[in-house]
Amino acid sequence: VKGAYDSVIYALNKAVHIRVVPMGSNFDYRQSLRNSPSSIETQKKYSHLTRGCTMVTSISRFEKSKGIDYELKVFEQILSKWPSLRSRVQFVRFSYMSEQKKDTAYYTQLRSELDNEVDRINKAYGTAEWTPIIARFDEKLTDEEVTGVLRAADILFIGSYADGFNHLAMEGIFSQDKASSISLVLGNIGAGDYIEGYYGFKCDSVESGANALYRALTAKRLAKHLRSYRMNLSRSFSIKRWIADILFS
């Protein structure tokens, strides 16, 4: 949803625009990771694991606000509403949490609920040869591994209920090269105010998320000149750019 975080508050005859302004993502750093042994190995691992399927992925902390349950509901609706996509798409979901949180009753219950949901969906729609959802709910990826996952994936799906900028969207773009591309399906994140060429949706509606993800799954690959434009536009969002926007807006 473009402009989801561009809100206005009116008070004392003044209009104050509320926007998410991040510190900036490091394009050169993310590009440097592409050829690291760990990145290459991770890319090969998940390309092989999802071979023959369109790979959808998402990576976040293991938090309720990150919308893991929402993403699972959206993916189930994809399988239910468009059965022709079964055996042709897989959702690989990564998350991580601190050791302290693992021992709390709240996170233990949340983990149990999400594990049960994944099992239910996989049993309802999966086959002996195809598992719809591959859940990695306790896997803290290194930067190199994140880059490898983002290069293996065809679609990056971010369904956070509440978020700031969310740099994963930018990292998804920066992890690519001239020959590769990743489609972005973005919900309520601040990056949507700046990035172009993505499929937007509202996280208060499973149908909205499913329709956006379906469009990404059935769309043609983004043209080379549009991939280049998106990359160059995203590169302009540096720390210097943010400072200038704040000082001179």
Side-chain angles (χ1 to χ4, degrees):
V1 180
K2 197 167 180 61
Y5 275 72
D6 191 5
S7 303
V8 182
I9 295 177
Y10 296 95
L12 303 176
N13 297 320
K14 293 183 179 180
V16 180
H17 289 261
I18 310 298
R19 299 187 70 184
V20 175
V21 182
M23 292 299 293
S25 298
N26 191 323
F27 170 80
D28 293 329
Y29 172 67
R30 191 59 53 179
Q31 287 278 293
S32 73
L33 300 179
R34 291 183 308 157
N35 297 319
S36 69
S38 180
S39 175
I40 294 173
E41 181 181 348
T42 302
Q43 181 180 359
K44 288 181 178 178
K45 174 182 177 180
Y46 286 99
S47 294
H48 177 74
L49 187 63
T50 61
R51 64 189 182 281
C53 291
T54 298
M55 176 178 165
V56 181
T57 196
S58 190
I59 308 169
S60 74
R61 296 191 309 277
F62 192 83
E63 301 278 356
K64 183 71 173 179
S65 65
K66 294 300 181 180
I68 301 174
D69 59 332
Y70 172 82
E71 293 170 359
L72 295 178
K73 291 175 183 175
V74 165
F75 196 73
E76 180 177 20
Q77 186 164 126
I78 287 288
L79 303 179
S80 173
K81 191 173 181 179
W82 294 284
S84 62
L85 291 175
R86 297 175 192 175
S87 298
R88 295 172 53 194
V89 59
Q90 281 182 295
F91 183 30
V92 186
R93 194 22 164 121
F94 298 89
S95 66
Y96 55 92
M97 69 176 79
S98 67
E99 292 298 323
Q100 294 84 354
K101 288 183 177 179
K102 287 180 181 179
D103 298 328
T104 64
Y106 174 79
Y107 282 95
T108 300
Q109 178 64 26
L110 181 60
R111 173 65 185 270
S112 177
E113 291 174 359
L114 292 176
D115 281 341
N116 290 337
E117 188 70 355
V118 170
D119 288 343
R120 182 186 64 78
I121 295 171
N122 283 341
K123 288 177 181 178
Y125 299 96
T127 67
E129 296 77 26
W130 170 69
T131 302
I133 300 172
I134 300 172
R136 300 285 192 261
F137 287 153
D138 192 17
E139 189 162 341
K140 171 64 173 169
L141 300 172
T142 66
D143 285 355
E144 290 84 357
E145 290 170 334
V146 167
T147 301
V149 167
L150 293 174
R151 288 181 59 74
D154 300 288
I155 297 173
L156 177 58
F157 176 41
I158 303 178
S160 301
Y161 291 121
D163 217 329
F165 187 83
N166 195 310
H167 285 271
L168 184 63
M170 204 76 83
E171 291 166 359
I173 297 173
F174 289 168
S175 296
Q176 310 306 314
D177 55 32
K178 292 181 180 179
S180 63
S181 178
I182 189 168
S183 296
L184 304 178
V185 183
L186 310 178
N188 303 332
I189 66 172
D193 289 341
Y194 304 93
I195 295 174
E196 294 189 14
Y198 68 91
Y199 301 90
F201 62 91
K202 295 181 179 180
C203 287
D204 58 357
S205 166
V206 172
E207 183 177 8
S208 176
N211 287 337
L213 182 54
Y214 176 77
R215 292 199 303 273
L217 286 166
T218 55
K220 293 182 179 179
R221 188 166 180 254
L222 197 64
K224 183 177 180 180
H225 72 282
L226 293 177
R227 299 200 305 271
S228 178
Y229 169 75
R230 186 175 68 175
M231 178 80 79
N232 291 331
L233 175 65
S234 300
R235 287 184 67 182
S236 72
F237 302 135
S238 63
I239 293 177
K240 290 182 180 179
R241 164 72 180 275
W242 304 129
I243 293 174
D245 282 353
I246 293 170
L247 292 178
F248 303 111
S249 60

